[in-house]
Structure formats: structure tokens, C-alpha cells
Amino acid sequence: MSLNIASRSTLVAHLVITLWLFLVVPTQAAEPAQSVAVSGLKVSNATLQLPIPGTHNSAVYLHLQNTGTKPETVVGVSTAAAAKAQLHSHTSVDGMMRMRPVESLTIAPGKTLVFESGSYHIMLLGVEPSIATGDTVELTLELNSGKTAQIMARAVSRYDGADHSHHH
Ligand SMILES: [Cu+2]
């Protein structure tokens, strides 16, 4: 897939996400669902946390809502923004939080899965070093149905000084 990293303003990034949602959310039209190669998954609040300076790995957080009538199962993720992308979970092992790859995540109809710090996240290994705060980065979720869902994530940094939240 093509590298799609553009220095857009936050406002434009939100507009792009909004337009995308408008395009893929199923409508009440008579079109059969099979004619659309996208899922009933709605992505919102997608952010790419830039790596800590001097490191190369990071995470993408988002809200993933199943707006369809059937369960949706995510089985993989890909992006040109990093050497490798994986679905990860956080679990407590002997009181220590450890993250580990997960093979699939199923979202029931009407439910929202929150990818956030300390929980599910998209792990990025070897983040493209040219990505900067405010950039929009594209990722693709692969579903077991063969469909895909696009994510447009805004690159943010918790080390810019503006955001002092520290989640664990
Ligand atoms: Cu991870």
C-alpha cells in the first residue's frame, strides 16, 4: 500500500475522518452489503502516539464501533507508517502489565471496542521516523470476512509539553 502521510492540520484531519465515515457507514439504500468491500466498523478518535524520543516503537489508539448487524472480527492490521503493526492486548502478569499480540478481536453488533493505553492497542514496531505531530497516518484493519476498515490516525506526542496525561 502507498505511504499516505501528509502534514495536515488537525481540522483537516478531522474533516477527512468525518468524510470517510460518511462514505463507509452503511445506509438504508437497497444496495446489497456484499457490493461494498468495507465493513460495518466505524473508527473514531484514532491517534498515533509518536515514539518516545530515541525509541522506535509506539501505539495507535482508537474507538472501533460495530454499526452492523453481525459480529465483526479483526484479524490483522497493516500500515506503511511502521515496519510492522500488530494487534496487542495488555494483561496483568504477576502484578506487572505485559503486552502481547492477539490473533483476533471480535466486536459484537452495536458494541464499541476501545483501544487505549493499558488495554488493546495497535502496536507499531519501527515507526517511520518522518512522521511528525499533526500528520495523518493511514492504517488498514483486516477482517476475517475479507473486508477491510481504514483508519486515519492523527499523530500526537505526549512529549510536546501540551499534554501531561500519563496513562498506565
Ligand atoms: Cu504493544
Side-chain angles (χ1 to χ4, degrees), residues 98-142:
R98 298 260 170 81
M99 44 182 199
R100 60 179 60 184
V102 289
E103 290 192 0
S104 67
L105 290 170
T106 298
I107 306 163
K111 297 294 184 185
T112 299
L113 184 62
V114 178
F115 290 67
E116 61 188 348
S117 181
S119 181
Y120 295 110
H121 56 282
I122 296 172
M123 192 76 204
L124 298 181
L125 305 170
V127 175
E128 180 61 43
S130 63
I131 298 171
T133 301
D135 286 353
T136 299
V137 176
E138 183 179 358
L139 301 95
T140 302
L141 291 175
E142 295 139 18

Coordinates of all heavy atoms in Angstrom, one line a residue, residues 98-142:
R98 N 1.9 -6.6 31.1 CA 2.6 -7.0 29.9 C 1.7 -7.0 28.7 O 0.6 -7.3 28.8 CB 3.0 -8.5 30.1 CG 3.9 -8.7 31.3 CD 5.4 -8.9 30.9 NE 6.3 -8.8 32.0 CZ 6.5 -9.9 32.8 NH1 6.0 -11.0 32.5 NH2 7.4 -9.8 33.8
M99 N 2.3 -6.6 27.6 CA 1.5 -6.6 26.4 C 1.9 -7.8 25.5 O 3.0 -8.3 25.6 CB 1.6 -5.3 25.6 CG 3.0 -4.8 25.4 SD 2.9 -3.2 24.5 CE 4.6 -3.1 24.0
R100 N 0.9 -8.3 24.8 CA 1.1 -9.5 24.0 C 0.3 -9.4 22.7 O -0.8 -8.8 22.7 CB 0.8 -10.7 24.7 CG -0.6 -10.8 25.2 CD -0.9 -12.1 26.0 NE 0.0 -12.2 27.1 CZ 0.0 -13.3 27.9 NH1 -0.8 -14.3 27.6 NH2 0.8 -13.4 29.0
P101 N 0.7 -10.0 21.6 CA -0.1 -10.0 20.4 C -1.3 -10.8 20.6 O -1.3 -11.8 21.3 CB 0.9 -10.6 19.4 CG 2.2 -10.5 19.9 CD 2.1 -10.6 21.4
V102 N -2.4 -10.3 20.0 CA -3.6 -11.1 19.9 C -4.0 -11.5 18.5 O -3.7 -10.7 17.6 CB -4.8 -10.3 20.6 CG1 -4.7 -10.2 22.1 CG2 -5.0 -9.0 20.0
E103 N -4.5 -12.7 18.3 CA -4.7 -13.1 16.9 C -6.0 -12.5 16.3 O -6.0 -12.2 15.1 CB -4.8 -14.6 16.9 CG -3.5 -15.3 17.1 CD -3.6 -16.8 16.8 OE1 -4.6 -17.3 16.4 OE2 -2.5 -17.5 17.0
S104 N -7.0 -12.3 17.1 CA -8.2 -11.7 16.6 C -9.0 -11.0 17.7 O -8.8 -11.3 18.9 CB -9.1 -12.7 15.9 OG -9.5 -13.6 16.9
L105 N -9.8 -10.0 17.3 CA -10.7 -9.3 18.2 C -12.1 -9.3 17.6 O -12.2 -8.8 16.4 CB -10.2 -7.9 18.4 CG -8.9 -7.7 19.2 CD1 -8.4 -6.3 19.1 CD2 -9.1 -8.1 20.6
T106 N -13.1 -9.8 18.3 CA -14.4 -9.8 17.7 C -15.3 -8.7 18.4 O -15.2 -8.6 19.7 CB -15.1 -11.2 17.9 OG1 -14.3 -12.1 17.2 CG2 -16.5 -11.2 17.4
I107 N -16.0 -7.9 17.6 CA -16.8 -6.9 18.2 C -18.3 -7.2 17.8 O -18.6 -7.4 16.7 CB -16.4 -5.5 17.6 CG1 -14.9 -5.3 17.8 CG2 -17.3 -4.4 18.2 CD1 -14.4 -4.2 16.9
A108 N -19.1 -7.3 18.9 CA -20.5 -7.7 18.7 C -21.2 -6.5 18.1 O -20.8 -5.3 18.2 CB -21.1 -8.1 20.0
P109 N -22.4 -6.8 17.4 CA -23.1 -5.7 16.8 C -23.5 -4.6 17.8 O -23.9 -5.0 18.9 CB -24.4 -6.4 16.2 CG -24.0 -7.8 16.0 CD -22.9 -8.1 17.1
G110 N -23.3 -3.4 17.5 CA -23.7 -2.3 18.4 C -22.7 -2.0 19.5 O -22.8 -1.0 20.2
K111 N -21.6 -2.8 19.6 CA -20.6 -2.6 20.6 C -19.4 -1.8 20.1 O -19.2 -1.7 18.9 CB -20.1 -3.9 21.1 CG -21.2 -4.8 21.8 CD -21.6 -4.2 23.1 CE -22.6 -5.1 23.8 NZ -23.2 -4.4 25.0
T112 N -18.8 -1.1 21.0 CA -17.6 -0.4 20.7 C -16.4 -0.9 21.5 O -16.5 -1.1 22.7 CB -17.7 1.1 21.1 OG1 -18.8 1.6 20.3 CG2 -16.5 1.9 20.7
L113 N -15.3 -1.2 20.7 CA -14.1 -1.7 21.4 C -13.2 -0.5 21.5 O -12.9 0.1 20.5 CB -13.5 -2.8 20.6 CG -12.2 -3.5 21.1 CD1 -12.5 -4.1 22.5 CD2 -11.6 -4.5 20.2
V114 N -12.7 -0.2 22.7 CA -11.8 0.9 22.9 C -10.4 0.5 22.9 O -10.0 -0.4 23.8 CB -12.2 1.7 24.1 CG1 -11.2 2.9 24.4 CG2 -13.6 2.2 24.0
F115 N -9.6 1.0 22.0 CA -8.2 0.7 22.0 C -7.6 1.9 22.8 O -7.7 3.1 22.4 CB -7.6 0.7 20.6 CG -8.0 -0.5 19.8 CD1 -9.3 -0.7 19.4 CD2 -7.0 -1.4 19.4 CE1 -9.6 -1.7 18.6 CE2 -7.4 -2.5 18.6 CZ -8.7 -2.7 18.2
E116 N -6.9 1.7 23.9 CA -6.4 2.7 24.7 C -5.2 2.3 25.5 O -4.9 1.1 25.6 CB -7.5 3.3 25.7 CG -8.0 2.2 26.7 CD -9.2 2.7 27.5 OE1 -9.5 3.9 27.5 OE2 -9.8 1.8 28.1
S117 N -4.5 3.2 26.1 CA -3.3 2.9 26.9 C -3.7 2.0 28.0 O -4.7 2.2 28.7 CB -2.7 4.2 27.5 OG -1.6 3.9 28.2
G118 N -2.9 0.9 28.2 CA -3.2 -0.1 29.2 C -4.2 -1.2 28.8 O -4.5 -2.0 29.6
S119 N -4.6 -1.1 27.6 CA -5.6 -2.1 27.1 C -5.2 -2.5 25.7 O -4.1 -2.5 25.3 CB -7.0 -1.4 27.2 OG -8.0 -2.3 26.7
Y120 N -6.3 -2.7 24.9 CA -6.0 -3.1 23.5 C -5.3 -1.9 22.8 O -5.7 -0.7 23.0 CB -7.3 -3.5 22.7 CG -7.9 -4.7 23.3 CD1 -9.1 -4.7 24.0 CD2 -7.3 -5.9 23.0 CE1 -9.6 -5.8 24.5 CE2 -7.8 -7.1 23.5 CZ -9.0 -7.1 24.3 OH -9.5 -8.2 24.7
H121 N -4.4 -2.2 21.9 CA -3.8 -1.1 21.1 C -3.2 -1.8 19.8 O -3.1 -3.0 19.7 CB -2.7 -0.4 21.8 CG -1.6 -1.3 22.4 ND1 -1.8 -2.1 23.5 CD2 -0.4 -1.6 21.9 CE1 -0.7 -2.8 23.8 NE2 0.2 -2.5 22.8
I122 N -3.0 -0.9 18.8 CA -2.2 -1.4 17.6 C -0.8 -1.0 17.9 O -0.4 0.1 18.0 CB -2.8 -0.7 16.4 CG1 -4.2 -1.1 16.1 CG2 -1.9 -1.1 15.2 CD1 -4.9 -0.3 15.0
M123 N 0.0 -2.1 18.0 CA 1.5 -1.9 18.3 C 2.2 -1.6 17.0 O 2.0 -2.3 16.0 CB 2.0 -3.1 18.9 CG 3.4 -3.0 19.5 SD 3.3 -2.1 21.0 CE 4.9 -1.4 21.1
L124 N 3.0 -0.5 17.0 CA 3.8 -0.2 15.8 C 5.2 -0.4 16.1 O 5.7 0.2 17.1 CB 3.5 1.3 15.4 CG 2.1 1.7 15.0 CD1 2.1 3.1 14.6 CD2 1.6 0.8 13.8
L125 N 5.9 -1.2 15.3 CA 7.3 -1.5 15.5 C 8.1 -0.9 14.4 O 7.8 -1.1 13.2 CB 7.5 -3.0 15.6 CG 6.7 -3.8 16.6 CD1 6.8 -5.3 16.4 CD2 7.1 -3.4 18.0
G126 N 9.0 0.0 14.7 CA 9.8 0.6 13.7 C 9.0 1.7 13.0 O 8.8 1.7 11.8
V127 N 8.5 2.7 13.8 CA 7.7 3.8 13.3 C 8.5 4.6 12.3 O 9.7 4.9 12.6 CB 7.2 4.7 14.4 CG1 6.4 5.9 13.8 CG2 6.3 3.8 15.3
E128 N 8.0 4.9 11.2 CA 8.6 5.7 10.1 C 9.0 7.1 10.8 O 8.2 7.8 11.3 CB 7.5 6.0 9.0 CG 8.0 6.9 7.9 CD 9.2 6.3 7.1 OE1 9.2 5.1 6.9 OE2 10.1 7.1 6.9
P129 N 10.3 7.3 10.8 CA 10.8 8.5 11.6 C 10.4 9.8 11.1 O 10.5 10.8 11.8 CB 12.4 8.3 11.5 CG 12.6 7.4 10.3 CD 11.4 6.6 10.2
S130 N 9.9 9.9 9.8 CA 9.5 11.2 9.3 C 8.1 11.7 9.8 O 7.8 12.8 9.6 CB 9.4 11.1 7.8 OG 8.5 10.2 7.3
I131 N 7.4 10.8 10.5 CA 6.1 11.2 11.0 C 6.2 12.2 12.1 O 7.0 12.0 13.0 CB 5.3 9.9 11.4 CG1 5.1 9.0 10.3 CG2 3.9 10.4 12.0 CD1 4.5 7.6 10.7
A132 N 5.5 13.3 12.0 CA 5.5 14.3 13.0 C 4.1 14.6 13.5 O 3.1 14.2 13.0 CB 6.1 15.6 12.4
T133 N 4.1 15.3 14.7 CA 2.9 15.7 15.3 C 2.0 16.4 14.3 O 2.4 17.3 13.5 CB 3.1 16.7 16.5 OG1 4.0 16.0 17.4 CG2 1.8 17.1 17.1
G134 N 0.7 16.0 14.2 CA -0.2 16.6 13.3 C -0.4 15.9 12.0 O -1.4 16.2 11.3
D135 N 0.5 15.0 11.7 CA 0.4 14.2 10.5 C -0.8 13.3 10.5 O -1.2 12.9 11.6 CB 1.7 13.4 10.2 CG 2.9 14.2 9.8 OD1 2.7 15.4 9.5 OD2 4.0 13.7 9.7
T136 N -1.3 12.9 9.4 CA -2.4 11.9 9.3 C -1.8 10.6 8.7 O -1.1 10.7 7.7 CB -3.5 12.4 8.5 OG1 -4.1 13.6 9.0 CG2 -4.6 11.3 8.4
V137 N -2.0 9.5 9.4 CA -1.4 8.3 9.1 C -2.5 7.3 8.8 O -3.4 7.1 9.6 CB -0.5 7.8 10.2 CG1 0.1 6.4 9.8 CG2 0.7 8.8 10.4
E138 N -2.4 6.5 7.7 CA -3.4 5.6 7.3 C -3.0 4.2 7.8 O -1.8 3.8 7.6 CB -3.6 5.6 5.8 CG -4.6 4.7 5.3 CD -4.8 4.8 3.8 OE1 -4.1 5.6 3.1 OE2 -5.6 4.0 3.3
L139 N -4.0 3.5 8.3 CA -3.8 2.0 8.7 C -5.0 1.3 8.1 O -6.0 1.8 7.9 CB -3.7 1.8 10.2 CG -2.6 2.6 10.9 CD1 -3.1 3.9 11.5 CD2 -2.0 1.7 12.0
T140 N -4.8 0.0 7.9 CA -5.8 -0.9 7.4 C -6.1 -2.0 8.3 O -5.1 -2.8 8.6 CB -5.5 -1.4 6.0 OG1 -5.3 -0.3 5.1 CG2 -6.7 -2.2 5.4
L141 N -7.3 -2.2 8.8 CA -7.7 -3.3 9.6 C -8.2 -4.4 8.6 O -9.0 -4.1 7.8 CB -8.8 -3.0 10.6 CG -8.4 -2.1 11.7 CD1 -9.6 -1.7 12.6 CD2 -7.3 -2.7 12.6
E142 N -7.7 -5.6 8.8 CA -8.1 -6.8 8.0 C -9.1 -7.6 8.8 O -8.8 -7.9 10.0 CB -6.9 -7.6 7.6 CG -6.0 -6.9 6.7 CD -4.5 -7.1 7.0 OE1 -4.2 -8.1 7.7 OE2 -3.7 -6.3 6.6

